[in-house]
PDB file of all heavy atoms in Angstrom:
ATOM      1  N   PHE Q   1     -34.311  84.745  45.220  1.00 92.00           N
ATOM      2  CA  PHE Q   1     -34.815  86.114  45.072  1.00 92.00           C
ATOM      3  C   PHE Q   1     -35.316  86.320  43.643  1.00 92.00           C
ATOM      4  O   PHE Q   1     -34.595  86.048  42.679  1.00 92.00           O
ATOM      5  CB  PHE Q   1     -33.712  87.129  45.379  1.00 92.00           C
ATOM      6  CG  PHE Q   1     -33.232  87.092  46.800  1.00 92.00           C
ATOM      7  CD1 PHE Q   1     -32.122  86.329  47.151  1.00 92.00           C
ATOM      8  CD2 PHE Q   1     -33.901  87.795  47.784  1.00 92.00           C
ATOM      9  CE1 PHE Q   1     -31.685  86.281  48.463  1.00 92.00           C
ATOM     10  CE2 PHE Q   1     -33.469  87.749  49.105  1.00 92.00           C
ATOM     11  CZ  PHE Q   1     -32.359  86.988  49.447  1.00 92.00           C
ATOM     12  N   ILE Q   2     -36.550  86.756  43.539  1.00 89.00           N
ATOM     13  CA  ILE Q   2     -37.124  87.085  42.235  1.00 89.00           C
ATOM     14  C   ILE Q   2     -37.243  88.601  42.135  1.00 89.00           C
ATOM     15  O   ILE Q   2     -37.851  89.246  42.995  1.00 89.00           O
ATOM     16  CB  ILE Q   2     -38.514  86.437  42.045  1.00 89.00           C
ATOM     17  CG1 ILE Q   2     -38.383  84.919  41.967  1.00 89.00           C
ATOM     18  CG2 ILE Q   2     -39.182  86.972  40.786  1.00 89.00           C
ATOM     19  CD1 ILE Q   2     -39.710  84.211  41.759  1.00 89.00           C
ATOM     20  N   SER Q   3     -36.643  89.145  41.104  1.00 87.00           N
ATOM     21  CA  SER Q   3     -36.679  90.595  40.911  1.00 87.00           C
ATOM     22  C   SER Q   3     -36.994  90.905  39.457  1.00 87.00           C
ATOM     23  O   SER Q   3     -36.392  90.327  38.548  1.00 87.00           O
ATOM     24  CB  SER Q   3     -35.341  91.222  41.309  1.00 87.00           C
ATOM     25  OG  SER Q   3     -35.371  92.621  41.143  1.00 87.00           O
ATOM     26  N   VAL Q   4     -37.934  91.814  39.238  1.00 84.00           N
ATOM     27  CA  VAL Q   4     -38.322  92.215  37.889  1.00 84.00           C
ATOM     28  C   VAL Q   4     -38.057  93.711  37.717  1.00 84.00           C
ATOM     29  O   VAL Q   4     -38.517  94.522  38.527  1.00 84.00           O
ATOM     30  CB  VAL Q   4     -39.816  91.915  37.616  1.00 84.00           C
ATOM     31  CG1 VAL Q   4     -40.241  92.496  36.272  1.00 84.00           C
ATOM     32  CG2 VAL Q   4     -40.055  90.418  37.646  1.00 84.00           C
ATOM     33  N   GLY Q   5     -37.330  94.033  36.699  1.00 75.00           N
ATOM     34  CA  GLY Q   5     -37.094  95.432  36.372  1.00 75.00           C
ATOM     35  C   GLY Q   5     -38.258  95.998  35.594  1.00 75.00           C
ATOM     36  O   GLY Q   5     -38.664  95.438  34.569  1.00 75.00           O
ATOM     37  N   GLU Q   6     -38.818  97.076  36.114  1.00 69.00           N
ATOM     38  CA  GLU Q   6     -39.975  97.690  35.460  1.00 69.00           C
ATOM     39  C   GLU Q   6     -39.486  98.653  34.386  1.00 69.00           C
ATOM     40  O   GLU Q   6     -38.799  99.629  34.663  1.00 69.00           O
ATOM     41  CB  GLU Q   6     -40.838  98.421  36.479  1.00 69.00           C
ATOM     42  CG  GLU Q   6     -42.116  98.969  35.885  1.00 69.00           C
ATOM     43  CD  GLU Q   6     -43.008  99.579  36.946  1.00 69.00           C
ATOM     44  OE1 GLU Q   6     -42.546  99.761  38.087  1.00 69.00           O
ATOM     45  OE2 GLU Q   6     -44.174  99.864  36.632  1.00 69.00           O
ATOM     46  N   PHE Q   7     -39.886  98.374  33.166  1.00 59.00           N
ATOM     47  CA  PHE Q   7     -39.459  99.188  32.030  1.00 59.00           C
ATOM     48  C   PHE Q   7     -40.487 100.291  31.826  1.00 59.00           C
ATOM     49  O   PHE Q   7     -41.544 100.069  31.253  1.00 59.00           O
ATOM     50  CB  PHE Q   7     -39.353  98.305  30.783  1.00 59.00           C
ATOM     51  CG  PHE Q   7     -38.663  98.977  29.634  1.00 59.00           C
ATOM     52  CD1 PHE Q   7     -37.291  98.999  29.561  1.00 59.00           C
ATOM     53  CD2 PHE Q   7     -39.400  99.606  28.642  1.00 59.00           C
ATOM     54  CE1 PHE Q   7     -36.653  99.620  28.507  1.00 59.00           C
ATOM     55  CE2 PHE Q   7     -38.774 100.228  27.588  1.00 59.00           C
ATOM     56  CZ  PHE Q   7     -37.390 100.233  27.522  1.00 59.00           C
ATOM     57  N   ASP Q   8     -40.183 101.506  32.334  1.00 53.00           N
ATOM     58  CA  ASP Q   8     -41.146 102.596  32.227  1.00 53.00           C
ATOM     59  C   ASP Q   8     -40.732 103.575  31.137  1.00 53.00           C
ATOM     60  O   ASP Q   8     -39.742 103.382  30.439  1.00 53.00           O
ATOM     61  CB  ASP Q   8     -41.350 103.293  33.572  1.00 53.00           C
ATOM     62  CG  ASP Q   8     -40.081 103.968  34.088  1.00 53.00           C
ATOM     63  OD1 ASP Q   8     -39.157 104.203  33.277  1.00 53.00           O
ATOM     64  OD2 ASP Q   8     -40.006 104.249  35.288  1.00 53.00           O
ATOM     65  N   SER Q   9     -41.504 104.658  31.003  1.00 46.00           N
ATOM     66  CA  SER Q   9     -41.306 105.589  29.899  1.00 46.00           C
ATOM     67  C   SER Q   9     -39.971 106.312  29.963  1.00 46.00           C
ATOM     68  O   SER Q   9     -39.444 106.738  28.941  1.00 46.00           O
ATOM     69  CB  SER Q   9     -42.437 106.624  29.884  1.00 46.00           C
ATOM     70  OG  SER Q   9     -42.431 107.367  31.087  1.00 46.00           O
ATOM     71  N   SER Q  10     -39.401 106.467  31.152  1.00 50.00           N
ATOM     72  CA  SER Q  10     -38.122 107.161  31.258  1.00 50.00           C
ATOM     73  C   SER Q  10     -36.984 106.363  30.640  1.00 50.00           C
ATOM     74  O   SER Q  10     -35.919 106.903  30.351  1.00 50.00           O
ATOM     75  CB  SER Q  10     -37.806 107.443  32.731  1.00 50.00           C
ATOM     76  OG  SER Q  10     -37.629 106.227  33.449  1.00 50.00           O
ATOM     77  N   LEU Q  11     -37.197 105.060  30.429  1.00 47.00           N
ATOM     78  CA  LEU Q  11     -36.175 104.203  29.826  1.00 47.00           C
ATOM     79  C   LEU Q  11     -36.453 103.908  28.365  1.00 47.00           C
ATOM     80  O   LEU Q  11     -35.706 103.176  27.725  1.00 47.00           O
ATOM     81  CB  LEU Q  11     -36.080 102.880  30.595  1.00 47.00           C
ATOM     82  CG  LEU Q  11     -35.709 102.995  32.077  1.00 47.00           C
ATOM     83  CD1 LEU Q  11     -35.840 101.643  32.752  1.00 47.00           C
ATOM     84  CD2 LEU Q  11     -34.300 103.522  32.238  1.00 47.00           C
ATOM     85  N   LEU Q  12     -37.530 104.474  27.819  1.00 46.00           N
ATOM     86  CA  LEU Q  12     -37.909 104.192  26.440  1.00 46.00           C
ATOM     87  C   LEU Q  12     -37.076 105.050  25.491  1.00 46.00           C
ATOM     88  O   LEU Q  12     -37.573 105.933  24.809  1.00 46.00           O
ATOM     89  CB  LEU Q  12     -39.399 104.458  26.229  1.00 46.00           C
ATOM     90  CG  LEU Q  12     -40.013 103.933  24.917  1.00 46.00           C
ATOM     91  CD1 LEU Q  12     -39.826 102.440  24.797  1.00 46.00           C
ATOM     92  CD2 LEU Q  12     -41.487 104.298  24.840  1.00 46.00           C
ATOM     93  N   LYS Q  13     -35.775 104.787  25.480  1.00 48.00           N
ATOM     94  CA  LYS Q  13     -34.855 105.572  24.658  1.00 48.00           C
ATOM     95  C   LYS Q  13     -34.054 104.686  23.710  1.00 48.00           C
ATOM     96  O   LYS Q  13     -33.840 105.040  22.558  1.00 48.00           O
ATOM     97  CB  LYS Q  13     -33.898 106.365  25.559  1.00 48.00           C
ATOM     98  CG  LYS Q  13     -34.612 107.364  26.462  1.00 48.00           C
ATOM     99  CD  LYS Q  13     -33.637 108.043  27.413  1.00 48.00           C
ATOM    100  CE  LYS Q  13     -34.361 109.006  28.339  1.00 48.00           C
ATOM    101  NZ  LYS Q  13     -33.454 109.630  29.322  1.00 48.00           N
ATOM    102  N   GLY Q  14     -33.589 103.543  24.194  1.00 49.00           N
ATOM    103  CA  GLY Q  14     -32.795 102.691  23.334  1.00 49.00           C
ATOM    104  C   GLY Q  14     -32.370 101.423  24.056  1.00 49.00           C
ATOM    105  O   GLY Q  14     -32.656 101.217  25.241  1.00 49.00           O
ATOM    106  N   HIS Q  15     -31.637 100.572  23.332  1.00 53.00           N
ATOM    107  CA  HIS Q  15     -31.245  99.272  23.872  1.00 53.00           C
ATOM    108  C   HIS Q  15     -30.232  99.420  25.002  1.00 53.00           C
ATOM    109  O   HIS Q  15     -30.188  98.584  25.922  1.00 53.00           O
ATOM    110  CB  HIS Q  15     -30.666  98.419  22.754  1.00 53.00           C
ATOM    111  CG  HIS Q  15     -30.494  96.978  23.123  1.00 53.00           C
ATOM    112  ND1 HIS Q  15     -31.546  96.179  23.516  1.00 53.00           N
ATOM    113  CD2 HIS Q  15     -29.386  96.195  23.188  1.00 53.00           C
ATOM    114  CE1 HIS Q  15     -31.101  94.964  23.786  1.00 53.00           C
ATOM    115  NE2 HIS Q  15     -29.796  94.960  23.596  1.00 53.00           N
ATOM    116  N   ASP Q  16     -29.398 100.473  24.974  1.00 59.00           N
ATOM    117  CA  ASP Q  16     -28.403 100.660  26.030  1.00 59.00           C
ATOM    118  C   ASP Q  16     -29.069 100.842  27.386  1.00 59.00           C
ATOM    119  O   ASP Q  16     -28.581 100.336  28.406  1.00 59.00           O
ATOM    120  CB  ASP Q  16     -27.518 101.873  25.716  1.00 59.00           C
ATOM    121  CG  ASP Q  16     -26.620 101.637  24.513  1.00 59.00           C
ATOM    122  OD1 ASP Q  16     -26.410 100.457  24.163  1.00 59.00           O
ATOM    123  OD2 ASP Q  16     -26.141 102.629  23.927  1.00 59.00           O
ATOM    124  N   GLU Q  17     -30.188 101.570  27.410  1.00 62.00           N
ATOM    125  CA  GLU Q  17     -30.897 101.779  28.667  1.00 62.00           C
ATOM    126  C   GLU Q  17     -31.441 100.462  29.219  1.00 62.00           C
ATOM    127  O   GLU Q  17     -31.471 100.250  30.426  1.00 62.00           O
ATOM    128  CB  GLU Q  17     -32.048 102.774  28.476  1.00 62.00           C
ATOM    129  CG  GLU Q  17     -31.635 104.229  28.399  1.00 62.00           C
ATOM    130  CD  GLU Q  17     -30.953 104.585  27.092  1.00 62.00           C
ATOM    131  OE1 GLU Q  17     -31.063 103.785  26.143  1.00 62.00           O
ATOM    132  OE2 GLU Q  17     -30.328 105.655  27.007  1.00 62.00           O
ATOM    133  N   VAL Q  18     -31.863  99.568  28.319  1.00 64.00           N
ATOM    134  CA  VAL Q  18     -32.350  98.254  28.749  1.00 64.00           C
ATOM    135  C   VAL Q  18     -31.222  97.462  29.398  1.00 64.00           C
ATOM    136  O   VAL Q  18     -31.390  96.846  30.458  1.00 64.00           O
ATOM    137  CB  VAL Q  18     -32.938  97.477  27.556  1.00 64.00           C
ATOM    138  CG1 VAL Q  18     -33.376  96.083  27.990  1.00 64.00           C
ATOM    139  CG2 VAL Q  18     -34.110  98.227  26.960  1.00 64.00           C
ATOM    140  N   ASN Q  19     -30.038  97.473  28.772  1.00 69.00           N
ATOM    141  CA  ASN Q  19     -28.889  96.752  29.335  1.00 69.00           C
ATOM    142  C   ASN Q  19     -28.499  97.308  30.702  1.00 69.00           C
ATOM    143  O   ASN Q  19     -28.164  96.553  31.620  1.00 69.00           O
ATOM    144  CB  ASN Q  19     -27.701  96.841  28.375  1.00 69.00           C
ATOM    145  CG  ASN Q  19     -27.927  96.048  27.096  1.00 69.00           C
ATOM    146  OD1 ASN Q  19     -28.699  95.087  27.091  1.00 69.00           O
ATOM    147  ND2 ASN Q  19     -27.277  96.437  26.023  1.00 69.00           N
ATOM    148  N   GLN Q  20     -28.517  98.631  30.841  1.00 72.00           N
ATOM    149  CA  GLN Q  20     -28.177  99.242  32.122  1.00 72.00           C
ATOM    150  C   GLN Q  20     -29.170  98.834  33.200  1.00 72.00           C
ATOM    151  O   GLN Q  20     -28.786  98.568  34.347  1.00 72.00           O
ATOM    152  CB  GLN Q  20     -28.143 100.761  31.979  1.00 72.00           C
ATOM    153  CG  GLN Q  20     -26.996 101.280  31.125  1.00 72.00           C
ATOM    154  CD  GLN Q  20     -27.083 102.774  30.878  1.00 72.00           C
ATOM    155  OE1 GLN Q  20     -27.906 103.464  31.474  1.00 72.00           O
ATOM    156  NE2 GLN Q  20     -26.244 103.285  29.988  1.00 72.00           N
ATOM    157  N   LEU Q  21     -30.452  98.772  32.842  1.00 68.00           N
ATOM    158  CA  LEU Q  21     -31.466  98.362  33.809  1.00 68.00           C
ATOM    159  C   LEU Q  21     -31.247  96.918  34.243  1.00 68.00           C
ATOM    160  O   LEU Q  21     -31.330  96.595  35.433  1.00 68.00           O
ATOM    161  CB  LEU Q  21     -32.862  98.531  33.208  1.00 68.00           C
ATOM    162  CG  LEU Q  21     -34.040  98.109  34.088  1.00 68.00           C
ATOM    163  CD1 LEU Q  21     -34.055  98.896  35.387  1.00 68.00           C
ATOM    164  CD2 LEU Q  21     -35.361  98.276  33.337  1.00 68.00           C
ATOM    165  N   GLU Q  22     -30.946  96.038  33.292  1.00 74.00           N
ATOM    166  CA  GLU Q  22     -30.703  94.631  33.633  1.00 74.00           C
ATOM    167  C   GLU Q  22     -29.495  94.490  34.547  1.00 74.00           C
ATOM    168  O   GLU Q  22     -29.507  93.703  35.498  1.00 74.00           O
ATOM    169  CB  GLU Q  22     -30.506  93.822  32.355  1.00 74.00           C
ATOM    170  CG  GLU Q  22     -31.793  93.545  31.592  1.00 74.00           C
ATOM    171  CD  GLU Q  22     -31.596  92.526  30.482  1.00 74.00           C
ATOM    172  OE1 GLU Q  22     -30.758  92.784  29.606  1.00 74.00           O
ATOM    173  OE2 GLU Q  22     -32.275  91.488  30.503  1.00 74.00           O
ATOM    174  N   GLU Q  23     -28.435  95.254  34.259  1.00 79.00           N
ATOM    175  CA  GLU Q  23     -27.242  95.194  35.107  1.00 79.00           C
ATOM    176  C   GLU Q  23     -27.556  95.652  36.524  1.00 79.00           C
ATOM    177  O   GLU Q  23     -27.066  95.067  37.499  1.00 79.00           O
ATOM    178  CB  GLU Q  23     -26.133  96.048  34.492  1.00 79.00           C
ATOM    179  CG  GLU Q  23     -25.557  95.488  33.199  1.00 79.00           C
ATOM    180  CD  GLU Q  23     -24.556  96.434  32.554  1.00 79.00           C
ATOM    181  OE1 GLU Q  23     -24.287  97.504  33.159  1.00 79.00           O
ATOM    182  OE2 GLU Q  23     -24.056  96.116  31.460  1.00 79.00           O
ATOM    183  N   GLN Q  24     -28.375  96.705  36.648  1.00 78.00           N
ATOM    184  CA  GLN Q  24     -28.730  97.203  37.969  1.00 78.00           C
ATOM    185  C   GLN Q  24     -29.566  96.185  38.741  1.00 78.00           C
ATOM    186  O   GLN Q  24     -29.361  95.975  39.943  1.00 78.00           O
ATOM    187  CB  GLN Q  24     -29.511  98.519  37.833  1.00 78.00           C
ATOM    188  CG  GLN Q  24     -29.906  99.151  39.154  1.00 78.00           C
ATOM    189  CD  GLN Q  24     -28.696  99.545  39.979  1.00 78.00           C
ATOM    190  OE1 GLN Q  24     -27.776 100.171  39.466  1.00 78.00           O
ATOM    191  NE2 GLN Q  24     -28.686  99.167  41.255  1.00 78.00           N
ATOM    192  N   ILE Q  25     -30.490  95.515  38.046  1.00 79.00           N
ATOM    193  CA  ILE Q  25     -31.331  94.502  38.704  1.00 79.00           C
ATOM    194  C   ILE Q  25     -30.467  93.353  39.216  1.00 79.00           C
ATOM    195  O   ILE Q  25     -30.602  92.905  40.361  1.00 79.00           O
ATOM    196  CB  ILE Q  25     -32.385  93.956  37.723  1.00 79.00           C
ATOM    197  CG1 ILE Q  25     -33.336  95.072  37.303  1.00 79.00           C
ATOM    198  CG2 ILE Q  25     -33.180  92.821  38.343  1.00 79.00           C
ATOM    199  CD1 ILE Q  25     -34.163  94.701  36.096  1.00 79.00           C
ATOM    200  N   ASN Q  26     -29.565  92.861  38.376  1.00 80.00           N
ATOM    201  CA  ASN Q  26     -28.701  91.747  38.778  1.00 80.00           C
ATOM    202  C   ASN Q  26     -27.785  92.141  39.927  1.00 80.00           C
ATOM    203  O   ASN Q  26     -27.540  91.353  40.855  1.00 80.00           O
ATOM    204  CB  ASN Q  26     -27.872  91.275  37.586  1.00 80.00           C
ATOM    205  CG  ASN Q  26     -28.725  90.619  36.511  1.00 80.00           C
ATOM    206  OD1 ASN Q  26     -29.788  90.071  36.807  1.00 80.00           O
ATOM    207  ND2 ASN Q  26     -28.278  90.677  35.272  1.00 80.00           N
TER     208      ASN Q  26
END
């Protein structure tokens, strides 16, 4: 399974939001 998390403007706040997105994708 290949899954890519799309980093959009609603997540452009900080590094914590990036980590949360990666955790959700995994």
